[in-house]
Amino acid sequence: MPPSSETEKSGLNATRNALLFGGIVSAVTGVLILVWPAKTAMIVALILAIYAITVGLTYAAFGAFSPGRGGWSRLGHVLLGIVFVIVGVAALLNLGATTTWLALLLAFMIGITWIVEGVVALSTLGFARSKGWTILFAVLSIIAGAVLLFSPMYVTVLWWVFGISLVVLGILQAIRSFSFGR
């Protein structure tokens, strides 16, 4: 059923573009993980550690230099800032352990997300012009999520499965974007 108004057409185009962009980002990230697994993981951990320090300094400064705020609000912001800075510095000082924990956390988070995404994709079958691609995407998404959640806790294996899954699901998502809502 074609869209009946310009607003619906605009929404469908935005959704298609978001699906395409997400698919491309997933596939490229997956390739980086497969080509440089350790370096990619460590770079992500490094970026998050720097982010934590930056956010911490921002919170601390906001608390320290906001005279219009109440005392508890200012104290809370300063304490939160200190916690962020401590976490960021600790992550930087032991980047290897941070990288390992980050990989495990991402594996669990992405595994759950992929299972949910597969179920949600199946719920759109009534609107999908290309039911085959939607079903394939949903089934592979659910399987990839289950593998990430229930496979042995070997970070390397999870990281490789994560990279391969990102490439496959990213390509399928990009293909799916071309037929979404038509």
Side-chain angles (χ1 to χ4, degrees):
M1 179 170 172
S4 60
S5 72
E6 284 300 314
T7 303
E8 287 180 48
K9 288 179 187 176
S10 176
L12 282 174
N13 285 335
T15 302
R16 268 190 226 109
N17 290 336
L19 289 172
L20 178 61
F21 179 75
I24 291 169
V25 168
S26 290
V28 169
T29 303
V31 168
L32 289 174
I33 287 170
L34 294 173
V35 174
W36 298 296
K39 287 181 183 180
T40 303
M42 197 164 283
I43 289 170
V44 170
L46 176 68
I47 290 168
L48 289 174
I50 292 169
Y51 170 79
I53 293 169
T54 304
V55 167
L57 292 173
T58 303
Y59 273 126
F62 181 75
F65 302 112
S66 296
R69 301 261 180 205
W72 287 111
S73 174
R74 292 177 67 192
L75 178 64
H77 280 91
V78 169
L79 291 176
L80 183 61
I82 291 170
V83 169
F84 267 99
V85 169
I86 290 170
V87 168
V89 168
L92 283 177
L93 291 176
N94 198 349
L95 205 51
T98 301
T99 302
T100 300
W101 281 104
L102 178 64
L104 286 171
L105 175 66
L106 281 175
F108 285 121
M109 184 182 74
I110 297 299
I112 291 167
T113 302
W114 281 346
I115 290 170
V116 171
E117 187 175 25
V119 171
V120 170
L122 287 174
S123 75
T124 66
L125 274 177
F127 305 104
R129 181 171 171 215
S130 175
K131 292 183 186 341
W133 286 112
T134 301
I135 291 170
L136 180 62
F137 173 81
V139 168
L140 289 178
S141 184
I142 292 168
I143 290 170
V147 168
L148 279 177
L149 286 177
F150 300 114
S151 65
M153 302 305 333
Y154 299 111
V155 175
T156 304
V157 172
L158 292 175
W159 198 238
W160 276 92
V161 169
F162 181 51
I164 292 167
S165 298
L166 279 174
V167 170
V168 171
L169 293 174
I171 291 169
L172 288 174
Q173 185 83 324
I175 292 170
R176 193 171 150 235
S177 73
F178 291 108
S179 64
F180 184 81
R182 293 188 179 170

